[in-house]
Amino acid sequence: MIGFLASLMVAIFAFALMKPATRGYRGWEKRLISYALLAHFAGALALLAVYLYYYGNGDLVRYHRLGGIIAAHLSTDFGNVAPEVLALLLGTGGEGLATHGAGTSTGSMEAVAAILSFLLGDSILASSILIASGAFFGKLSIYSVLRRELSVEFHRPALIGALLVPSAVFWSGSLLKESVVMSFLGALVWGGYMLSTGRKRTIGAIALTVGVIGCALFKGYLLVPAAVAGMVWLYVRRSNKSKNVAAKPIYVLGATAAAFGLLLLIGNFNPRYDVFRAEQQLVHEAETMGGSDGGSNYTLLDTSGPTSTARLLLTAPWAVFTALLRPAIIEARNPLSLVNGLETLVLTIMLIRVIRRRGFWASVSVIRKSPILAFCAVFTLLLAIGVGFATTNMGTLSRYRMPLVPFFAVLLGVLGTTKQQRSPVPSTKKK
């Protein structure tokens, strides 16, 4: 009963927060956004049902179980246990609470489970609803950037892509790293945009910092495509504003140097995400995430021997295809993979529609002229390469690619229309 009441209070608070977050939005936007929040709650319930009654176990269940144990210690000895939980969250300690996870993103997730269990009465439902709400507002933050950058004709496909893609909704709602990190990814995108455009710089800097730290704790590899995509966004934006053709190579060099520096910084902070050692890192990830042969497992990298850069480059297109458009519906082996297959079928049809309506090079031209579409394209492409190579199981593929799905869906939705991007003119008129 306590868990139900806690879940209800969290849901009510999320709806209350949505009103100021959508101030100035049009009527149809508010309706779709309300439906999206309800969908995230429903997705959280569905995800719980799958893990508790279909799988019977898994990361979600394990996090909740260990989180409940740590929360019990917090209740009896808060003064001594709380610093350990904080150290576990930040990856700087906590070995006494979680022997195997301390110092890793797994330990950070275990700390989150413990904190939520302590605050919400050990209710896995309330924890899931709270995380789903955070992921929802992260995506809403991304949409707020999209609606500022895109002309009004593209707001509807941008909203649907950012907030209503089924797999992204489903995997946003529980004690999983992918679910938690979506709120931080939204903060990163929104904060970076506000800071770089001069709007609300102080709040933007705070949001960007929180987003970077959160992504680093739970899914540090997201910082690599985000850093490169951010520099591409800045380059396209600056290049579009400049009438001096001779200055554009300088912008290219500046953006390249900035991206190079950010990648060096990320690699030094966590060698696991050092892109300058991509061959070794991707092979290591494939070995770590690999399993037995058969079933829904697949392998793009042969981990039995050395992997060359040339081989990685030749295999990269297949890795991108795998990450974005598999499992195909003919590869479905169970009800969950069938649902995934239906979604990838729709995405494949949308991609074909884009190529037929605009053509490949015309689509590239549109992306090159739009800073936000360039960001979406680069983030999607780079993250798809990593996910495609590192993931080795079709059953987990839709979960690991979830952070890129909203950006990919926005690209397909916007490019799938025949309208031309104009200067964004946000409207407050209700329809």
Side-chain angles (χ1 to χ4, degrees), residues 366-413:
V366 172
I367 292 171
R368 287 177 54 197
K369 294 175 183 177
S370 170
I372 191 61
L373 293 183
F375 178 93
C376 291
V378 173
F379 183 85
T380 298
L381 180 64
L382 293 182
L383 187 52
I385 291 174
V387 170
F389 275 126
T391 310
T392 58
N393 184 276
M394 287 294 171
T396 57
L397 184 58
S398 65
R399 171 181 161 187
Y400 293 135
R401 69 163 168 244
M402 188 271 282
L404 69 80
V405 169
F407 299 94
F408 182 47
V410 167
L411 270 177
L412 295 181

Side-chain angles (χ1 to χ4, degrees), residues 118-286:
F118 177 75
L119 294 175
L120 300 172
D122 197 31
S123 170
I124 191 172
L125 175 61
S127 296
S128 298
I129 294 296
L130 182 59
I131 291 172
S133 300
F136 164 80
F137 281 106
K139 296 173 190 174
L140 185 59
S141 299
I142 294 171
Y143 173 66
S144 72
V145 174
L146 290 164
R147 79 187 299 272
R148 287 174 182 267
E149 285 289 294
L150 296 171
S151 55
V152 294
E153 292 84 358
F154 299 111
H155 287 181
R156 192 180 297 272
L159 191 156
I160 293 171
L163 288 164
L164 284 165
V165 179
S167 67
V169 171
F170 178 76
W171 289 111
S172 292
S174 199
L175 291 166
L176 296 169
K177 299 173 195 175
E178 292 78 12
S179 303
V180 171
V181 83
M182 279 309 301
S183 58
F184 293 106
L185 183 58
L188 186 155
V189 173
W190 185 87
Y193 177 79
M194 290 299 170
L195 183 62
S196 62
T197 56
R199 299 183 176 96
K200 303 178 182 178
R201 285 185 175 175
T202 301
I203 298 176
I206 294 172
L208 177 62
T209 302
V210 170
V212 169
I213 293 173
C215 288
L217 289 177
F218 297 101
K219 287 289 178 181
Y221 59 78
L222 294 178
L223 296 178
V224 173
V228 178
M231 292 305 102
V232 170
W233 183 88
L234 286 173
Y235 161 72
V236 175
R237 182 172 181 269
R238 187 65 178 173
S239 180
N240 286 349
K241 286 187 174 183
S242 176
K243 296 181 181 179
N244 186 356
V245 177
K248 292 188 178 183
I250 298 176
Y251 299 149
V252 174
L253 291 175
T256 302
F260 188 83
L262 284 173
L263 293 177
L264 280 176
L265 185 64
I266 293 168
N268 288 331
F269 175 76
N270 191 334
R272 185 179 178 185
Y273 308 122
D274 185 356
V275 298
F276 303 105
R277 298 175 61 246
E279 300 116 68
Q280 300 96 313
Q281 297 301 331
L282 288 174
V283 169
H284 173 73
E285 291 297 322

Side-chain angles (χ1 to χ4, degrees), residues 231-364:
M231 292 305 102
V232 170
W233 183 88
L234 286 173
Y235 161 72
V236 175
R237 182 172 181 269
R238 187 65 178 173
S239 180
N240 286 349
K241 286 187 174 183
S242 176
K243 296 181 181 179
N244 186 356
V245 177
K248 292 188 178 183
I250 298 176
Y251 299 149
V252 174
L253 291 175
T256 302
F260 188 83
L262 284 173
L263 293 177
L264 280 176
L265 185 64
I266 293 168
N268 288 331
F269 175 76
N270 191 334
R272 185 179 178 185
Y273 308 122
D274 185 356
V275 298
F276 303 105
R277 298 175 61 246
E279 300 116 68
Q280 300 96 313
Q281 297 301 331
L282 288 174
V283 169
H284 173 73
E285 291 297 322
E287 291 174 338
T288 302
M289 299 177 70
S292 58
D293 294 333
S296 60
N297 287 353
Y298 71 90
T299 302
L300 298 183
L301 287 176
D302 181 5
T303 59
S304 61
T307 301
S308 66
T309 302
R311 186 180 172 195
L312 282 176
L313 292 174
L314 290 173
T315 315
W318 183 239
V320 172
F321 175 83
T322 297
L324 298 181
L325 300 174
R326 293 180 72 189
I329 196 164
I330 59 174
E331 296 176 299
R333 297 292 182 270
N334 54 59
L336 288 178
S337 63
L338 177 61
V339 173
N340 288 333
L342 288 172
E343 181 175 290
T344 55
L345 176 62
V346 172
L347 293 174
T348 302
I349 293 172
M350 291 176 67
L351 178 60
I352 294 172
R353 184 181 180 215
V354 168
I355 296 174
R356 288 190 61 186
R357 283 192 169 190
R358 286 190 182 269
F360 178 79
W361 293 114
S363 298
V364 171

